[in-house]
Amino acid sequence: EVQLVESGGGLVQTGGSLRLSCTASGFRFDDYAIGWFRQAPGKEREGVSCVGRSNGRTYYADPVKDRFTISSDNAKNTMYLQMNSLKPEDTAVYFCAVGRTCTSRMHTIVIEGVYRWGQGTQVTVSS
């Protein structure tokens, strides 16, 4: 089955850290742009970070710059999102995705031609 499966979400206090993982099965994601998105209650889904495969560039949304780090391990077919110095406003369901290209437009992270979304993992940051 072709899918992305996330893990690593949970409850953490302000200032804490979490590492999200997203493992692909049924396909190799190293041919795709990869990225993370999040959706807070009552808000639209927003891009957090992505990496383009053609140019290798990494993009971060302004609210998470210098706190979050995206990475991948092609041997494990897994991408990660290391989240440090977490804030209550980071509370959301986090989704991984792979697609054709990744870019930032007007400070908005975009993955074009999304091939697969993960099911989402809840991150809750308590104040």
Side-chain angles (χ1 to χ4, degrees), residues 75-87:
K76 295 182 178 180
N77 219 21
T78 299
M79 67 177 93
Y80 305 97
L81 185 68
Q82 178 67 44
M83 305 185 295
N84 298 328
S85 302
L86 283 161
K87 305 175 181 180

Side-chain angles (χ1 to χ4, degrees), residues 33-38 46-52 57-62 64-65 68-71 79-82 94-97 102-103 108-111:
I34 62 172
W36 290 92
F37 294 74
R38 67 185 182 186
E46 64 176 0
V48 174
S49 179
C50 69
V51 180
R57 290 190 64 179
T58 301
Y59 302 90
Y60 292 97
D62 289 343
V64 308
K65 278 180 181 176
F68 290 11
T69 304
I70 189 171
S71 63
M79 67 177 93
Y80 305 97
L81 185 68
Q82 178 67 44
Y94 284 72
F95 301 86
C96 60
C102 152
T103 189
T108 299
I109 303 296
V110 175
I111 289 185

Side-chain angles (χ1 to χ4, degrees), residues 1-7 20-25 27 29 33-39 45 79 93-99 111 114-122:
E1 182 179 1
V2 176
Q3 60 179 356
L4 294 171
V5 178
E6 296 118 336
S7 61
L20 305 182
S21 300
C22 173
T23 299
S25 60
F27 71 101
F29 75 77
I34 62 172
W36 290 92
F37 294 74
R38 67 185 182 186
Q39 187 167 17
R45 188 174 299 188
M79 67 177 93
V93 178
Y94 284 72
F95 301 86
C96 60
V98 299
I111 289 185
V114 174
Y115 176 60
R116 278 295 183 274
W117 287 96
Q119 84 285 358
T121 185
Q122 176 70 46

